[in-house]
Amino acid sequence: MTSECSPRFLASDNTSGICPEAMEYLLEANRSDDLAYGNDTWTARAADRFREMFDYDCDVFFVFNGTAANSLALSAMGRSYHSVICHELAHIETDECGGPEFFSNGAKLLTSPGANGKLTPEGIEALVTKRSDIHYPKPKVVSLTQATEVGTLYSREELMAIRAIADKHDLRLHMDGARFANACASLNATPAELTWQVGVDALCFSGTKNGLAFGEAILFFNRELAEDFSYRCKQAGQLASKMRFISAPWLGLLESGAWLTNAQHANAMASYLSEGLQALPGVSLMFPTQANSVFVELPLPAIEALKAKGWTFYTFIGAGGARFVCAWNTTVELLDELLADIRAVLER
C-alpha cells in the first residue's frame, strides 16, 4: 500500500515515464552511430511513417517541446502585424510565456470565450469583424486545441464549421495537438479525419504526453507554410544535433501503434475516474470527460487534505476546481486509492 506521504502523480501526463515501445527504439538507435542534425535514417523513417499514418505528403519537423512547436508553427503562419485567434483558455495564451508573440516578432493573440473550452465560428467572426482599420492587428490564424485545455473535444462537424468561417475570412488553421492522440482515440477518428480532411493547415503533435521523454512533431499540410521552416528551428535552438534520439522513440510509437493504445488506455482510466467521482455524494464534474482529463469541483478543505496525502493535481481552473490527468501507465489501483481518499475526506 502506498505511504500516505508518498507522491501520487495525477497532475499531468507529463509526469509519466517513457513507455516500453519508445524506450525500445531509443535503445536501438543508440546501438550505432548515425548522421547528425536530422540527416539520420531514424528521422527519415519517422517522417515517412507520419506521412503514411496521415495519408498525406506533409512536411514533418521535430522539436524538443510543445511551446516551441506551437510558437514556431504560428510564426510561420503569419507576419508580425497579424493576429492569432484562440480560446481564452488556450495553452498558447495562458501557459507559453509569450512564446508565440516572441517567435512571430510581435503577432498578437486575440482571445474568445466559448463553452467547454471551445472556440465557435461566431466567436471567431466577432473578433475578425470587430475592427478593420490599420491600427488593429489583422487576423490571420485560428488556433484550436484538440483536446482542449478542459479535456473536451472538437467534433469533425465543429472543425468543418470553423474551417468554413476561416475560408470566409482568409484565415489559416493551426491545431495544438498536445493531446491529439487522445482525441483520435475518443472520437474513433483517423488522424487524417481530424486534420487535413477538415482543413487544418498545421498540426503540433505531442509525444511527451503520450509516452515519450521529450519531442514534438510539427506537420504542415499546407506545405507553402513550411518554406525555410528548418531555419526557424535552427535559429530557435530547436535543431537537435542528435535528432535520432527524438525521432526514434516517435517511430516506436508509430510503428507499434502505441501512440493510439497509450491514448486509449489513458482515456479509459479517465472515464473510470469520472464515473467513480460522480458516484460520490456532493461531487460534480466541471466539464464532460471526453479525453484523459477529469475536472471536478471539491471543497477547498478536501483539496488541501488530498494534497497532504501526497496527491498531485492542479487547481488552476478556479476556486474549488481540481484537474486529474491520466496517462499511458495510470492504473485502476491508483485511481481506487484516490477515490477512497476523496470519499474519506468528504465524509470527514
Side-chain angles (χ1 to χ4, degrees), residues 148-186:
T148 72
E149 293 301 311
V150 295
T152 55
L153 301 173
Y154 289 95
S155 67
R156 274 177 49 84
E157 292 72 24
E158 289 173 317
L159 293 171
M160 288 188 286
I162 288 173
R163 180 70 258 181
I165 202 69
D167 287 339
K168 178 181 176 181
H169 296 289
D170 190 28
L171 304 174
R172 293 159 177 166
L173 191 54
H174 163 264
M175 181 172 282
D176 176 353
R179 296 182 175 91
F180 179 74
N182 302 92
C184 290
S186 183

Side-chain angles (χ1 to χ4, degrees), residues 3 103 132 232:
S3 166
F103 283 103
S132 59
R232 290 185 186 274

Side-chain angles (χ1 to χ4, degrees), residues 171-243:
L171 304 174
R172 293 159 177 166
L173 191 54
H174 163 264
M175 181 172 282
D176 176 353
R179 296 182 175 91
F180 179 74
N182 302 92
C184 290
S186 183
L187 295 171
N188 194 28
T190 67
E193 289 173 332
L194 295 183
T195 53
W196 64 267
Q197 289 185 8
V198 291
V200 172
D201 292 300
L203 167 72
C204 297
F205 193 166
S206 174
T208 309
K209 291 177 168 57
N210 197 23
L212 299 190
F214 53 86
E216 317 294 294
I218 306 170
L219 282 64
F220 283 99
F221 306 105
N222 182 344
R223 297 183 66 182
E224 291 181 4
L225 299 175
E227 182 180 359
D228 289 339
F229 191 75
S230 57
Y231 287 88
R232 290 185 186 274
C233 293
K234 172 63 179 178
Q235 187 181 61
Q238 292 293 318
L239 177 62
S241 55
K242 297 184 179 180
M243 184 72 77

Side-chain angles (χ1 to χ4, degrees), residues 33 48-49 54 84 102 167 193 233 264 304 335 339:
D33 293 354
D48 285 342
R49 191 67 184 85
F54 281 81
V84 177
F102 177 82
D167 287 339
E193 289 173 332
C233 293
Q264 289 170 334
E304 293 169 0
L335 299 182
L339 290 167

Side-chain angles (χ1 to χ4, degrees), residues 12 17 22 25 41 47 50 58 64 78 85 103 135 139 173 211 230 233 255 260 288 315 325 345:
S12 172
Y25 276 63
T41 56
F50 270 117
C58 51
F64 289 103
I85 294 172
F103 283 103
H135 305 287
L173 191 54
S230 57
C233 293
E255 289 194 342
L260 184 59
T315 54
V325 182
V345 298

